């Protein structure tokens, strides 16, 4: 009965009658990659900014709206970032051609507009965004132009958000009759707080950068790329090791249980008395 409802492309692909609930993220990525268009590229080791990787969303005729294959690319990007994480201190997520991401590519959205496909997309994207949030280094979304719908969810999942002064950001999912479906809800609540999150979602207001900085959603506003790079260079003065330890401790403490405090203690003790601490202590640095 379920198979009668799904699209032709799904029927062609799904020869072994898989149900959406049985779709692993890997299976969902394989399936969604058949919805082509756009790409996600990743540069692991930037020359100018050591230890800072860059992930770029690129679907120029759709304001970087994500197609199925871009969602699959994001999934595979997490594989690479998790594998090559040793020397990374940060990941920048950005869009090409002066805009961040306008959410789902609406042409793709229209093709997968049924509950089963929605479930498959959500199962992949929520898995990917959770992995993004748990990367052992910090993630920074660089928001230029528009971050709408799923694009705003993706930005919400990053540890830090930096936006251009003229950026526009909105959780506009309600305007097309849905809720966030990329797994970003917990991060939206984390960034805004409970009531402000519900307000942003239920009004679907498109905010400007200044408004979002006042609400604590944005950490920094930049005017030029040079300003952004100046902001980024702040992270270069701290070694990779303590950055990763801080991320680990902060993630664990989101839970605020006894086990989480134990992670904090272990992370702290793993650095305390180590070579790095001793070397830096011996420099007698001033921090004015
Ligand atoms: C699905 C859901 C989810 O959570 O999964 C969501 O993401 S909900 C959010 C889904 N996203 C949206 O509803 C965004 C709809 N788009 C817009 O509001 C607007 O296009 C803006 C993104 C504000 C950009 O406006 P602006 O006036 O600067 O440019 P424009 O409208 O001429 O856009 C340039 C071209 O990109 C296309 N375009 C823009 N956003 C698109 C999208 N998400 N999917 C497919 N095409 C898109 C436009 O149709 C237009 O195509 P032509 O040049 O051929 O005319």
């Amino acid at each position: 009965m379920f198979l009668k409802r799904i699209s032709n492309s799904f029927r062609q692909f799904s020869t072994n009658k898989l149900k959406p609930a049985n779709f692993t993220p890997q299976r969902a990525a394989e399936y969604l990659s058949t919805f082509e268009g756009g790409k996600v590229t990743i540069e692991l080791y930037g020359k100018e900014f050591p230890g800072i990787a860059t992930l770029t969303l690129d679907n120029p005729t759709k304001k970087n709206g994500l197609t199925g294959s871009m969602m699959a690319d994001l999934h595979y990007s997490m594989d690479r970032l998790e594998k090559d994480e040793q020397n990374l201190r940060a990941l920048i997520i950005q869009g090409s051609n002066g805009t961040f991401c306008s959410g789902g590519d609406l042409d793709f959205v229209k093709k997968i507009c049924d509950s089963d496909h929605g479930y498959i997309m959500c199962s992949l994207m929520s898995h990917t965004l959770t992995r993004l949030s748990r990367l052992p280094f910090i993630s920074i979304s660089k928001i230029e132009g528009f971050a709408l719908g799923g694009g705003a969810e993706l930005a919400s999942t990053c540890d830090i958000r930096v936006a251009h002064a003229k950026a526009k950001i909105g959780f506009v999912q309600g305007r097309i009759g849905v809720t966030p479906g990329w797994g970003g809800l917990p991060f939206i609540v984390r960034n805004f707080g409970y009531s402000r999150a519900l307000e942003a979602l239920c009004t679907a207001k498109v905010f400007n950068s200044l408004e979002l900085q006042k609400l604590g959603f944005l950490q920094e506003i930049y005017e030029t790329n040079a300003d952004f790079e100046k902001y980024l260079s702040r992270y270069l003065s701290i070694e990779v090791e303590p950055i990763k330890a801080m991320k680990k401790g902060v993630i664990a403490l989101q839970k605020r249980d006894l086990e989480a405090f134990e992670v904090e203690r272990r992370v702290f003790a793993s650095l305390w008395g180590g070579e790095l601490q001793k070397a830096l202590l011996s420099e007698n640095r001033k921090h004015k």
Side-chain angles (χ1 to χ4, degrees), residues 101-240:
C101 173
S102 61
D105 172 343
L106 292 173
D107 298 313
F108 160 66
V109 167
K110 284 168 195 160
K111 283 185 198 149
I112 63 153
C113 204
D114 62 68
S115 178
D116 294 325
H117 278 86
Y119 187 91
I120 293 168
M121 179 184 75
C122 187
S123 63
L124 175 63
M125 285 305 286
S126 61
H127 187 255
T128 301
L129 263 52
T130 303
R131 288 169 80 194
L132 167 62
S133 75
R134 291 183 187 164
L135 285 174
F137 40 84
I138 55 170
S139 54
I140 302 172
S141 50
K142 180 187 181 202
I143 308 164
E144 214 180 337
F146 292 98
L148 298 176
E153 273 190 89
L154 177 60
S156 300
T157 309
C158 290
D159 298 314
I160 291 155
R161 282 153 296 286
V162 178
H164 188 268
K166 292 194 173 141
K168 292 281 175 66
I169 301 162
F171 300 88
V172 298
Q173 287 90 341
R175 295 190 192 186
I176 58 167
V178 292
T179 57
W182 292 6
L185 267 183
F187 306 105
I188 298 167
V189 175
R190 175 194 68 185
N191 299 331
F192 279 107
Y194 178 89
S195 302
R196 289 286 187 203
L198 269 175
E199 185 180 50
L201 292 164
C202 296
T203 62
K205 174 180 157 93
V206 176
F207 295 93
N208 65 40
S209 292
L210 208 54
E211 289 170 321
L212 285 180
Q213 192 179 39
K214 283 186 189 146
L215 289 170
F217 181 85
L218 288 178
Q219 282 62 61
E220 188 87 2
I221 296 178
Y222 70 94
E223 296 266 358
T224 63
N225 262 334
D227 291 342
F228 178 75
E229 288 178 359
K230 201 167 160 199
Y231 173 78
L232 209 53
S233 64
R234 292 185 202 167
Y235 294 97
L236 299 181
S237 63
I238 305 295
E239 298 293 331
V240 170

Side-chain angles (χ1 to χ4, degrees), residues 16-36:
N16 55 353
K17 300 188 180 184
L18 280 178
K19 288 186 192 299
N22 295 338
F23 266 54
T24 60
Q26 179 62 28
R27 182 81 172 124
E30 283 164 17
Y31 175 55
L32 291 178
S33 68
T34 62
F35 295 89
E36 291 172 0

